[in-house]
Amino acid sequence: MTTASPPPAALGTQPKPAKRAQKRGQKSSWSGWLFIGPFMAVFALVFLAPIAYSIYLSFFRNQLVGGNGFVGLANYAQVLQDSQFWSSLIRVVLFLAVQVPVMLLIAMLVALALDSGRLYGKSFFRISIFLPYAVPAVVASLMWGFMYGTRFGLVGNINEALGTNIPNPLNPDLILASIGNIVTWEFIGYNMLIFYSALSVIPKSLYEAAEIDGASQFRLVTAIKLPAIRGAMVVAAIFSVIGSFQLFNEPAILQSLAPNSISTYFTPNLYAYSLSFSGQQYNYSATVAIVMGIITMVIAYAVQLRGMRKEG
Amino acid sequence: MKSRISPAVLRGSALALAAALTLSACGGGGGNDAGGAAPEEVSADDVQAALETGGDLTVWAWEPTLEKVVEDFEAEYPNVNIDLVNAGTGNDQYTALQNAIAAGSGVPDVAQVEYYALPQFALAESVKDLTGYGAGDLQDTFSPGPWSSVQANEGIYGLPMDSGPMALFYNTDVFEKYGVEVPTTWEEYVEAARTLHEADPNVYIANDTGDAGFATSLIWQAGGQPYQVDGTDVTVNFSDEGSTKFAETWQQLLDEDLLAPISSWSDEWYQGLGNGTIATLSTGAWMPGNFTSGIPQAAGQWRAAPLPQWEEGQTASAENGGSSLTIPAASEQGALAYAFLDYANVGDGVQTRIDGGAFPATSAQLQSEEFLNTEFEYFGGQKANEIFAESAQNVPEGWSYLPFQVYANSIFNDTAGQAYVSDTPLSEGLKNWQDASVKYGNEQGFTV
């Protein structure tokens, strides 16, 4: 919507700076600022300022007794030695290593199935698989939380009806898998859509050429479709990595149902939240958030580098 | 539901959050700059004068019955204009309040603070010591539990608004069906738990997934004093006799899987209370309202009884929940604010709030015939207030919460809660909770 208006405006101003560039370089650069000024102001206010403020906070420590004081890098040193922080990080890494490949694989299979054109009611499938993504994560977690109930929930009903003995999905051993299940359910549709849209822009001529060469459907997938959507796969992988590191909604909601399975430091985000809102350790919480942000950036960048190198 | 229950409040706010990104935007905690040496002296005449002069008061509270109190107060003192703000429930409000105090602006003149959170504000001197306002003479006005809850550092930091003397609520249909006597001691309670669960594996005596407020209340009842607070010198000790009694008894229930693994205030919990699979509930006297609104299908099945005892023949009880009204130190309208506190918690406001369904903290109301004779339709016409009032009189003195109880409660399930889902003994879980609390206390500058 907004993208439609800037180009004409930019075009209109271009001749002027071009002419006067040498004479009055300074003035022309200011007119540029005029256009991006409103954006920069909002950007600085809502994006840069909070980050700067977090960094500022992370150099202080405010105690209930003794007040506020500058502590330099002490908070960072504490994070690096904080076993609760590392255990939460290891937990999301484990989550990432198992849940993301499973989710992307299923999403890929669904996208390929839809793209193959051999399904009846294609749009129905597409919508119904995408639908969970439209359900807010909070609602989804509550819903699954009820279903996981072993007494009055779906699991309880199944156990009663079939005489089976499904263990409680909310006990400490299974909770991570249960959360993985919710997240997978939520995001398959989203990733499927990324893959599907990438698949649908592959030129039909490639398929025709392959058909002339007598390629099988399987060959079509491995030789044309998969290489063509590598970019989309990298994007989906990066989103998923970031999403896993920021895991918060699902454990936060399920915590009230399974308080002993989900500790206050279950994921790094939950840890930062508890530190800040129950512990009033805003400074330490900001430090945790910054360290986590840096780790996420490094890993997302590594995934991107690796994905792109393969492409080239 | 009634709003002054700490666990419910915490859980409720956990639902409302989903705002991890706002973390960094919430800077600053309670500043410690108010050098509160001697409490201010404000005489009754000053308070009266302030009432006549009038002015504007901002009150932060979530207690619903206060609305009517504010209306009546304004009608009686037309010069006073009160702005009643709901700045969030429990923890949400404390965060907002702490931020306002740190920022030094936007601080209300009156704030509702739960008993367990009060020491935190008292210690930082961010709420006024009301001794000089005449609160020191109110000792006999309030029942002992709430009264001891508003005291810290030899000061009085708030006036009790309501209270939660504990009682045992039980489903009489279930107990009759299986021919089990209502337990009067915790030993009998464990026995009843076994009998009920044996008779029907779906029936549990109670639900419990580890609740800090509940555990500390039962330790309180058992005469334990795990927290000793003297200024910034704090002792945490969960190996005293009271704590051991609790841990040993509860360990039996845990070992034999006699407690339903259902968290309070969850959907399953309401269902369990409604369909007879959770047979009892030990909690504060604010519960009846929740029964009526949350579990209407079980009307007539439930009754109240005194809390089971640790020793036969005793009558000890404990408090669970409840809150006070305080005056933040930054308020410039101390006298007027105190006038409102006095009206709402000692004067005419008390009856207004009882009529609205609140459970009072004042002895006079607790002993009044009208209050005691109220028949609860939900409890089959039982005069349940008699039991609650009795309970309120029997709360052991000498209990105190930590000056950082809000945080300590939030990590209960990380530590002690593990005993509910693994082989860790409860006594060891409590020890871990103690260690984690000690660690936090030391980090915050206390001597623990």
Side-chain angles (χ1 to χ4, degrees):
Chain A
M1 26 169 219
T2 44
T3 47
S5 52
L11 279 176
T13 53
Q14 255 171 1
K16 274 188 204 165
K19 262 189 237 164
R20 300 178 189 170
Q22 282 117 343
K23 275 191 264 173
R24 299 161 65 179
Q26 254 187 331
K27 189 151 196 187
S28 67
S29 72
W30 281 116
S31 66
W33 276 104
L34 209 64
F35 285 102
I36 63 162
F39 166 75
M40 281 308 287
V42 176
F43 181 70
L45 194 70
V46 304
F47 198 82
L48 299 179
I51 293 178
Y53 188 55
S54 305
I55 295 173
Y56 166 80
L57 276 182
S58 70
F59 292 126
F60 290 84
R61 183 171 295 167
N62 193 346
Q63 297 180 332
L64 286 171
V65 181
N68 204 355
F70 182 79
V71 292
L73 293 172
N75 284 329
Y76 289 90
Q78 196 187 339
V79 171
L80 296 181
Q81 292 167 5
D82 187 341
S83 60
Q84 298 193 334
F85 172 73
W86 290 112
S87 77
S88 70
L89 186 63
I90 290 168
R91 199 170 287 121
V92 286
V93 168
L94 182 71
F95 181 85
L96 172 76
V98 177
Q99 187 264 337
V100 170
V102 170
M103 174 180 68
L104 292 185
L105 190 72
I106 298 176
M108 175 70 70
L109 290 176
V110 173
L112 287 172
L114 285 173
D115 188 62
S116 72
R118 301 182 173 204
L119 287 180
Y120 288 107
K122 193 171 82 174
S123 50
F124 169 75
F125 279 111
R126 202 172 59 199
I127 282 293
S128 54
I129 290 168
F130 185 70
L131 210 58
Y133 182 67
V135 177
V138 173
V139 177
S141 310
L142 282 173
M143 205 173 77
W144 277 96
F146 295 145
M147 290 205 275
Y148 283 154
T150 46
R151 298 190 49 73
F152 306 112
L154 182 66
V155 170
N157 292 343
I158 292 176
N159 279 343
E160 211 167 294
L162 305 178
T164 51
N165 195 11
I166 305 175
N168 183 1
L170 295 177
N171 79 23
D173 302 327
L174 292 178
I175 189 77
L176 199 61
S178 305
I179 292 175
N181 180 41
I182 300 176
V183 176
T184 308
W185 179 84
E186 282 173 316
F187 286 96
I188 279 182
Y190 173 75
N191 290 300
M192 176 273 290
L193 210 66
I194 296 180
F195 294 148
Y196 181 70
S197 55
L199 283 172
S200 54
V201 296
I202 298 174
K204 291 281 170 280
S205 56
L206 286 177
Y207 297 139
E208 284 160 11
E211 232 164 87
I212 291 167
D213 290 344
S216 67
Q217 278 295 323
F218 185 69
R219 280 291 284 170
L220 273 185
V221 169
T222 53
I224 298 178
K225 293 186 176 181
L226 290 186
I229 65 167
R230 170 156 285 145
M233 286 160 77
V234 173
V235 168
I238 290 174
F239 284 164
S240 304
V241 168
I242 296 174
S244 302
F245 276 130
Q246 294 189 338
L247 196 61
F248 178 79
N249 279 341
E250 292 80 6
I253 298 295
L254 291 180
Q255 198 174 34
S256 62
L257 296 175
N260 301 318
S261 302
I262 301 177
S263 56
T264 55
Y265 51 92
F266 191 74
T267 74
N269 257 6
L270 201 58
Y271 186 41
Y273 174 82
S274 336
L275 284 174
S276 187
F277 284 81
S278 333
Q280 270 127 37
Q281 292 164 300
Y282 306 106
N283 306 92
Y284 189 51
S285 169
T287 316
V288 167
I290 290 167
V291 170
M292 209 42 224
I294 293 171
I295 293 176
T296 310
M297 260 159 57
V298 167
I299 293 185
Y301 189 63
V303 170
Q304 190 179 8
L305 272 189
R306 193 167 160 68
M308 293 306 172
R309 195 170 54 211
K310 265 189 183 169
E311 196 175 24
Chain B
M1 82 187 118
K2 291 288 171 76
S3 49
R4 57 201 89 98
I5 324 101
S6 53
V9 157
L10 287 172
R11 307 232 159 92
S13 56
L15 289 185
L17 49 95
L21 288 173
T22 56
L23 283 180
S24 53
C26 303
N32 212 0
D33 37 25
E40 291 170 76
E41 287 294 334
V42 178
S43 69
D45 292 341
D46 294 341
V47 172
Q48 198 54 43
L51 271 176
E52 275 155 27
T53 318
D56 295 331
L57 276 184
T58 307
V59 178
W60 281 12
W62 63 87
E63 162 65 39
T65 58
L66 273 181
E67 269 176 46
K68 181 86 175 74
V69 174
V70 166
E71 252 173 59
D72 294 351
F73 186 80
E74 286 178 329
E76 192 159 344
Y77 304 102
N79 292 336
V80 186
N81 182 27
I82 296 183
D83 185 16
L84 182 65
V85 180
N86 183 344
T89 301
N91 229 357
D92 290 347
Q93 195 220 270
Y94 305 145
T95 308
L97 186 59
Q98 233 133 9
N99 285 340
I101 290 167
S105 69
V107 183
D109 302 301
V110 176
Q112 178 179 357
V113 177
E114 284 158 287
Y115 295 132
Y116 83 100
L118 189 59
Q120 194 156 323
F121 288 94
L123 181 90
E125 297 281 348
S126 43
V127 291
K128 286 187 204 276
D129 181 355
L130 302 178
T131 315
Y133 285 78
D137 307 332
L138 295 174
Q139 183 166 6
D140 298 329
T141 310
F142 296 104
S143 58
W147 183 244
S148 72
S149 301
V150 293
Q151 298 179 50
N153 309 336
E154 291 165 14
I156 299 161
Y157 287 90
L159 292 189
M161 178 157 66
D162 53 18
S163 65
M166 289 181 80
L168 177 76
F169 297 91
Y170 63 96
N171 189 321
T172 177
D173 286 9
V174 174
F175 277 81
E176 271 168 24
K177 185 173 165 195
Y178 298 109
V180 180
E181 291 283 313
V182 178
T184 56
T185 66
W186 289 110
E187 219 168 292
E188 285 175 26
Y189 188 81
V190 176
E191 205 49 56
R194 287 191 188 115
T195 318
L196 289 175
H197 194 57
E198 221 164 276
D200 181 350
N202 282 325
V203 175
Y204 291 90
I205 189 103
N207 71 295
D208 193 4
T209 55
D211 180 308
F214 177 72
T216 47
S217 285
L218 283 201
I219 291 171
W220 185 349
Q221 188 210 10
Q225 298 185 352
Y227 303 128
Q228 300 287 346
V229 183
D230 180 17
T232 58
D233 288 327
V234 178
T235 318
V236 186
N237 177 15
F238 277 104
S239 54
D240 68 359
E241 206 187 326
S243 312
T244 313
K245 271 190 215 165
F246 165 73
E248 280 172 359
T249 305
W250 231 244
Q251 191 65 52
Q252 298 176 43
L253 294 173
L254 291 175
D255 283 345
E256 298 171 40
D257 290 327
L258 298 174
L259 294 169
I262 295 174
S263 298
S264 298
W265 314 107
S266 69
D267 189 51
E268 285 197 313
W269 182 70
Y270 282 109
Q271 288 192 41
L273 290 177
N275 67 15
T277 55
I278 298 176
T280 73
L281 177 68
S282 315
T283 192
W286 36 259
M287 192 60 203
N290 294 329
F291 268 119
T292 318
S293 64
I295 315 144
Q297 70 272 30
Q301 295 179 14
W302 287 82
R303 298 285 183 280
L307 204 58
Q309 295 299 313
W310 293 101
E311 302 281 342
E312 219 176 312
Q314 278 187 335
T315 54
S317 178
E319 292 277 335
N320 184 306
S323 54
S324 61
L325 288 180
T326 63
I327 306 178
S331 168
E332 284 162 8
Q333 311 226 52
L336 189 58
Y338 187 77
F340 177 72
L341 255 59
D342 194 63
Y343 178 87
N345 293 356
V346 183
D348 297 347
V350 178
Q351 191 56 46
T352 313
R353 295 199 4 272
I354 293 174
D355 296 342
F359 193 84
T362 39
S363 306
Q365 271 72 21
L366 284 171
Q367 287 157 6
S368 83
E369 288 294 313
E370 191 194 341
F371 178 75
L372 293 175
N373 287 330
T374 308
E375 291 183 2
F376 286 78
E377 210 179 304
Y378 190 92
F379 297 136
Q382 192 186 18
K383 293 176 183 172
N385 279 343
E386 286 179 348
I387 291 163
F388 304 149
E390 174 82 23
S391 168
Q393 294 303 319
N394 292 320
V395 176
E397 290 185 32
W399 174 271
S400 57
Y401 283 114
L402 286 175
F404 45 89
Q405 193 70 36
V406 179
Y407 179 76
N409 281 3
S410 80
I411 57 167
F412 180 83
N413 290 99
D414 292 358
T415 50
Q418 294 311 306
Y420 291 78
V421 288
S422 68
D423 296 335
T424 317
L426 186 56
S427 53
E428 199 183 312
L430 287 172
K431 177 76 174 64
N432 292 339
W433 190 33
Q434 171 182 332
D435 292 346
S437 304
V438 167
K439 177 168 168 278
Y440 177 84
N442 282 325
E443 275 173 16
Q444 290 295 323
F446 293 94
T447 318
V448 189

